[in-house]
Amino acid sequence: MKQGRGSLFAFALALVALSPCPPTASAGDWAGHYGDVLLSFTPGPVPTHVARRDSLPVVGTLVDLYALLAVPEIVRARGEQVLTVGGIELKLAVDGAPGWKVLEQEITGKHINVGPEPGTVTAGLFPGLSFEGGMVQVAHWVVQVPGRARDVVFRLDPAGARSCAGLPGCGESGTFALWAGAVAANQHGLLFSSGYVPAYLNPSQPESDLTPRRGSVGWRERGLVTPDRP
């Protein structure tokens, strides 16, 4: 399958339109920040953001890492609750581990991914992933860290939110990831920004900073979706 060129907007993600010239999004497509990607060493439902692992001779240190998209509350778009994820853009980054590699990448559910390399997810999801308890697993990686891993931090690279550059206001908002609602709910035309919570491998400090990394301009400020309950 050929890789897509440039960024994919929410409509393209949801429909998996792999045209070299993606459709143009309108200003109303960006709904602001809504939700965080939790980087976790376990698949949930309770995320694990700190782990200690031994290294193996020659191989180094292997870890399972999960991307869990969590939303704080249910909102409504176009009269319907936003309960599913129909497309997502994100890119894994690792600090403190030169030469790290993604050995395996698994995206949850039926999908087509046009991300250019392992660790980058630019995917349309069909029929969509449903939030359970406000959370859904979107990706699972097996990551290899050469040598003895110490003070390794897993985070998101904002360059993975490629569609943000084409949406007025999004590019300067500090977006780390993007996701769209599902086609079946007629929510694929809205693109939400996401923050993230990092994961720490073999930290030397007794406490790790688990403060969510988020940008500005929330969904309430944008006003394109409404709370499920007043």
Side-chain angles (χ1 to χ4, degrees):
M1 178 177 298
K2 294 182 180 180
Q3 295 176 350
R5 300 176 186 174
S7 59
L8 296 176
F9 296 101
F11 185 78
L13 280 172
L15 296 180
V16 197
L18 303 182
S19 168
C21 298
T24 301
S26 66
D29 284 329
W30 183 55
H33 279 74
Y34 175 53
D36 295 315
V37 174
L38 313 180
L39 297 176
S40 170
F41 296 104
T42 56
V46 179
T48 303
H49 297 290
V50 180
R52 300 190 181 279
R53 300 286 188 272
D54 294 329
S55 61
L56 300 172
V58 182
V59 175
T61 307
L62 299 178
V63 295
D64 288 281
L65 189 70
Y66 300 84
L68 312 172
L69 178 60
V71 293
E73 61 181 292
I74 300 300
V75 298
R76 285 184 176 268
R78 298 165 186 162
E80 299 291 335
Q81 292 178 322
V82 179
L83 299 175
T84 53
V85 181
I88 191 160
E89 292 183 347
L90 59 81
K91 181 178 182 180
L92 180 66
V94 184
D95 296 330
W100 68 277
K101 294 181 181 179
V102 173
L103 300 183
E104 297 179 24
Q105 174 172 279
E106 177 185 7
I107 301 171
T108 307
K110 186 177 180 181
H111 67 275
I112 295 180
N113 180 37
V114 296
E117 70 274 326
T120 300
V121 177
T122 306
L125 311 169
F126 297 89
L129 305 177
S130 298
F131 288 106
E132 295 183 7
M135 183 184 299
V136 61
Q137 177 185 316
V138 295
H140 166 225
W141 300 286
V142 177
V143 182
Q144 179 186 33
V145 177
R148 300 179 63 192
R150 293 292 184 273
D151 292 314
V152 176
V153 182
F154 297 92
R155 60 177 178 86
L156 292 186
D157 184 342
R162 296 187 297 165
S163 296
C164 199
L167 298 170
C170 185
E172 57 268 27
S173 70
T175 292
F176 289 99
L178 291 167
W179 65 278
V183 173
N186 192 31
Q187 294 166 351
H188 51 277
L190 289 175
L191 203 59
F192 296 99
S193 293
S194 171
Y196 75 94
V197 177
Y200 297 83
L201 176 64
N202 296 337
S204 59
Q205 300 298 319
E207 298 291 335
S208 299
D209 183 4
L210 301 181
T211 304
R213 278 59 166 172
R214 295 176 181 147
S216 59
V217 189
W219 60 271
R220 294 180 185 272
E221 296 170 72
R222 289 291 292 170
L224 299 182
V225 297
T226 59
D228 187 36
R229 297 179 181 179

